[in-house]
Each structure stands twice: as C-alpha cells, then as structure tokens.
C-alpha cells in the first residue's frame, strides 16, 4: 500500500514523497520472502507531458527495507 505524503507540482515536473507499507511475501531483489512487515519511504521525480509520465526517477530507503526484513542491524545512536 502506497501513501502520498506530499506532492509538489511545477510546470511539467512533479515531486511525490511517499511511504510504502506491506508484508515481504515475495522474492524482492533476489531475497526470499520473510513474512515480515515493512515500511519504506521514498521520493519520485516525474516529468509529465500530455497527461503521461515521460520520465521518472526514484529514490528510496533500501537500508530501511533491509532492516525491516532482518538483513541489516538496527542503528543505535552513540551513548544510547
């Protein structure tokens, strides 16, 4: 499930900040399903012409996804 957190439009350019929520139920990036819940944030940079997306770039927090499915340790602040 994707949630649009913020949308900014200027001319043909659109910036969409989003959050994805789901469960890791299928192979993703060659990682077998873990059944764990995930929440990942990202940004989509889009160019729209004639009502169609003609160019798109995506930036998302891969480390957050890997932490959620247990492949990276949680970050702990120094002194905590």
């Amino acid at each position: 499930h994707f949630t649009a957190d913020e949308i900014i439009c200027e001319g043909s350019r659109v910036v969409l900040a989003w959050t994805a929520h789901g469960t890791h139920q299928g192979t993703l990036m060659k990682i077998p399903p873990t059944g764990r819940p995930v929440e990942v944030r990202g940004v989509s940079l889009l160019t729209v012409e004639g009502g169609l997306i003609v160019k798109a770039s995506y930036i998302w927090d891969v480390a957050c996804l890997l932490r959620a499915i247990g492949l990276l340790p949680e970050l702990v602040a120094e002194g905590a």
Side-chain angles (χ1 to χ4, degrees):
H1 174 75
F2 281 81
T3 302
D5 300 322
E6 186 170 356
I7 301 171
I8 301 170
C9 301
E10 186 175 303
S12 64
R13 301 288 310 219
V14 177
V15 177
L16 170 63
W18 49 265
T19 304
H21 304 268
T23 302
H24 182 215
Q25 294 180 329
T27 300
L28 178 65
M29 299 184 313
K30 298 185 181 181
I31 302 166
T34 61
R36 292 182 178 208
V38 296
E39 177 180 295
V40 179
R41 294 177 184 262
V43 175
S44 299
L45 308 170
L46 310 170
T47 302
V48 179
E49 294 177 3
L52 300 173
I53 297 171
V54 296
K55 183 177 178 185
S57 297
Y58 305 97
I59 303 164
W60 57 286
D61 191 349
V62 177
C64 181
L65 171 70
L66 295 176
R67 276 189 205 91
I69 61 177
L71 294 180
L72 277 180
E74 290 293 326
L75 296 176
V76 177
E78 287 187 36

